[in-house]
Amino acid sequence: MPRKRATIREVAQATGLSPAAVSYALRGLQVSEETIERVRAAAAELGYEADPIARALASGKTGTIGLLCGSLEDLWQQSLAVGIGRGLRAKERYALILDSVGDPELERKLAMQLRDQRVDGMIVQPVDPAAAFWPELCESVPVVAIGDSIQGTAGEVVFDNRRGVTLALEHLRSLGHRRIAVLTPTGQRTPDRPADVHVIAEGERLGLEIEVDTAPFALSAATEVAHRVLSESRPSAVFCFSDSIAYGVYAAASELGLSIPGDVSVMGYDDHPMSSLLTPGLTTVDWDIDGIVRAAVRLVVAAADGGARRRRVVQQPTLRERTSIRALTS
């Protein structure tokens, strides 16, 4: 039969202190180091563990941070979620991870669900950063946005998408590419995301022929879209707003008997670790995922602890040149 959980009163009896003093000592507050050591030793001997529900009721804190991902079919977002979960654990917080699967309506429902579950804060990588519900939500729970800016957040780690898009398109243009297919996960319901707007504007500025198509993150679905694009329009290069989508281009090229970069060049946008292992290695844009994780965790913990100052971190891109793009002869 399992042993009953020891109570704080039993620890108090064992140490000759009041339950309040034991509670302070277990949290390292308002008592001497000697008392803290004595109380913690007694608690360990009795097998006392703090009741998380009681602690949450007393403090108003659950120790939980909601992490709302745009789509966990994207391998980069999976890596981001792992990093944030570990980063929060190091700060003695726990991540409650939910997946919007690229659906803005589901994103709204899940965000409200996290709020109703009394998370101490939220980290979101929004599907629809312009959605009307965000400002109201941000009034009731601290929110840190990753990628795109959201109105009313406690903090944000935004990508300099203008610079990232410019890096990618200028690199392709410098190697002679003029007809470029762009594959984006953005759907018709969220048409104004910054990266998509910038790619059209930069294409016009650079004199490029840009064709934008929507492609899901999932490998099979991305492969299907890429198969159609490569069969119908035959661009000289494909620029993908996710390395996961670029993997679908690799698969489609193989199905069609096309070589990369001999027949078509391919470029990604987030430098997932797998991208360096492909043959040929995928040229992509690196956003420093470790830096994003550190910044997001720091901002959400500070906000959850009552930090009032809103902070904004702008993440700068770096071009990772590999061998998936070839120079075209004039």
Side-chain angles (χ1 to χ4, degrees), residues 6-63:
T7 68
I8 200 167
R9 291 188 177 277
E10 290 174 314
V11 179
Q13 291 172 358
T15 56
L17 299 169
S18 69
V22 169
S23 177
Y24 283 130
L26 289 171
R27 289 179 288 160
L29 302 173
Q30 301 183 17
V31 295
S32 67
E33 287 295 327
E34 179 184 354
T35 299
I36 291 173
E37 292 179 7
R38 181 158 60 94
V39 168
R40 289 180 176 175
E45 183 177 347
L46 292 169
Y48 171 80
E49 295 180 4
D51 185 337
I53 297 176
R55 183 170 56 192
L57 290 173
S59 66
K61 300 290 186 182
T62 64

Side-chain angles (χ1 to χ4, degrees), residues 165-180 202-210 236-237 267 325-328:
V165 166
T166 297
L167 271 177
L169 294 184
E170 286 187 344
H171 182 65
L172 290 169
R173 187 178 187 278
S174 71
L175 295 175
H177 295 277
R178 297 293 183 272
R179 296 185 65 250
I180 300 169
E202 282 298 274
E204 291 179 355
R205 182 181 71 84
L206 295 170
L208 304 175
E209 183 181 339
I210 300 287
S236 67
M267 187 168 200
I325 301 174
R326 75 179 182 96
L328 299 182

Side-chain angles (χ1 to χ4, degrees), residues 55-72:
R55 183 170 56 192
L57 290 173
S59 66
K61 300 290 186 182
T62 64
T64 303
I65 301 294
L67 174 57
L68 184 53
C69 301
S71 175
L72 286 175

Side-chain angles (χ1 to χ4, degrees), residues 25 117 134 137 149 154 156 222-223 231 301 321:
Q117 290 182 348
W134 287 119
L137 178 77
S149 184
E156 56 188 20
T223 301
S231 299
V301 168
E321 291 187 55

Side-chain angles (χ1 to χ4, degrees), residues 237-300:
V238 182
F239 173 29
C240 305
F241 274 142
S242 163
D243 286 14
S244 290
I245 295 174
Y247 304 156
V249 180
Y250 273 62
S254 177
E255 291 176 359
L256 292 167
L258 302 175
S259 70
I260 300 173
D263 296 312
V264 62
S265 294
V266 184
M267 187 168 200
Y269 201 59
D270 48 43
D271 197 26
H272 186 272
M274 191 180 300
S275 296
S276 65
L277 304 178
L278 298 177
T279 303
L282 178 65
T283 295
T284 187
V285 177
D286 179 6
W287 292 100
D288 182 16
I289 193 170
D290 292 335
I292 293 168
V293 166
R294 288 192 299 270
V297 169
R298 182 178 72 251
L299 293 177
V300 80

